[in-house]
Amino acid sequence: MSVRTDLSAGKRDGRTAGEPAEGLAGRLSGRTALVTGGSRGIGRGIAERLGREGARVVVHYGTNETAAKETVAAVEAAGGTAFALGQELGVPGDAAALWRAFDELVGEERGLDILVNNAGIAASRPFASIGEEEYDRIFAVNTKAPFFLAQLGAQRLRDGGRIINVSTGLSRAAAMPDLIAYAMSKSALDTFTRYLSKVLGPRRITVNAVAPGIVDTDINAHWLRNDEQAWAGAAAMAALGGVGTPAEIADVVAFLASDDARWITGHWIDATGGSLA
């Protein structure tokens, strides 16, 4: 079947999604951001957007170095500064190893201003057949890694910094029962977000979660892009109509990373296009 495209063409508010509003370009200048899972999909969209806002972006990847370098090149082509950093998540000592590599890459004196915990994996099997190994892996990547990345990252975060966790609309709605383990792991991340906002609040570090709905990424391509019926069903779930794009999620993250969101913390931001309405 032919691939359906979103009729909005990424211009739902009159400008291209991911394009900074007039007067906002450069609002993250001088700041350093780390985006985990930043080589593809939503993570790449976030990395590119933060780069356009002036942040120095460290693009973390697990295994796909080529994709990470492509993201770095895209940030640099837009006039930004970016670096690729490889480290597998979900293994013992992952957070400590990542931060050691980060310090070597950007220099300890530069510190960190924005941590985006975006890296995550979904479940390949439903409740009746998922095994312990896969279940543990999902929680190791989606929940444990962000916990310890934030714990060790807090030592590097400057006062007034930002932690943004990428959650999912599935932590609030049982729309896809086969992804029960994934939804559980993200629900735990939501709880972590609320509690951590209290822990880091005295330092004026905000902690928020952004919850996408169905987003058009390469991870979803096998069931979404080449099936008109699946695309139409996904689009119908959103009150705003259409399937989300990485750039639209990145817009929300860029707002939370900016000074405009300095009085917002401990929140779960619905970025599903109204799928939960």
Side-chain angles (χ1 to χ4, degrees), residues 51-89:
R52 283 196 296 273
E53 294 284 5
R56 178 191 301 107
V57 184
V58 177
V59 179
H60 161 266
Y61 66 94
T63 58
N64 197 334
E65 182 179 7
T66 298
K69 289 183 176 179
E70 290 173 353
T71 301
V72 168
V75 173
E76 293 177 340
T81 302
F83 310 90
L85 186 160
Q87 171 60 47
E88 183 182 2
L89 297 181

Side-chain angles (χ1 to χ4, degrees), residues 176-192:
M176 297 181 179
D178 283 352
L179 295 178
I180 182 172
Y182 170 76
M184 288 170 62
S185 71
K186 292 293 188 176
S187 293
L189 186 66
D190 298 343
T191 299
F192 176 55

Side-chain angles (χ1 to χ4, degrees), residues 138-223:
I138 290 169
F139 274 81
V141 174
N142 296 356
T143 311
K144 182 179 178 181
F147 183 99
F148 286 101
L149 284 170
Q151 182 192 69
L152 299 179
Q155 304 168 16
R156 294 161 174 82
L157 265 173
R158 281 182 272 269
D159 290 354
R162 303 283 187 266
I163 295 179
I164 302 163
N165 298 320
V166 177
S167 181
T168 175
L170 294 178
S171 66
R172 300 288 179 95
M176 297 181 179
D178 283 352
L179 295 178
I180 182 172
Y182 170 76
M184 288 170 62
S185 71
K186 292 293 188 176
S187 293
L189 186 66
D190 298 343
T191 299
F192 176 55
T193 299
R194 293 194 301 273
Y195 276 78
L196 188 60
S197 71
K198 296 289 189 179
V199 173
L200 298 181
R203 293 178 54 197
R204 307 289 288 189
I205 295 173
T206 67
V207 186
N208 292 288
V210 175
I214 299 175
V215 179
D216 183 17
T217 65
D218 55 350
I219 295 175
N220 292 327
H222 67 285
W223 69 272

Side-chain angles (χ1 to χ4, degrees), residues 77-125:
T81 302
F83 310 90
L85 186 160
Q87 171 60 47
E88 183 182 2
L89 297 181
V91 297
D94 53 1
L98 187 150
W99 286 120
R100 284 195 298 270
F102 175 90
D103 291 341
E104 293 176 2
L105 190 63
V106 305
E108 292 186 41
E109 72 283 355
R110 290 188 174 181
L112 179 72
D113 300 281
I114 303 160
L115 169 61
V116 182
N117 283 311
N118 166 76
I121 57 175
S124 66
R125 298 184 181 186

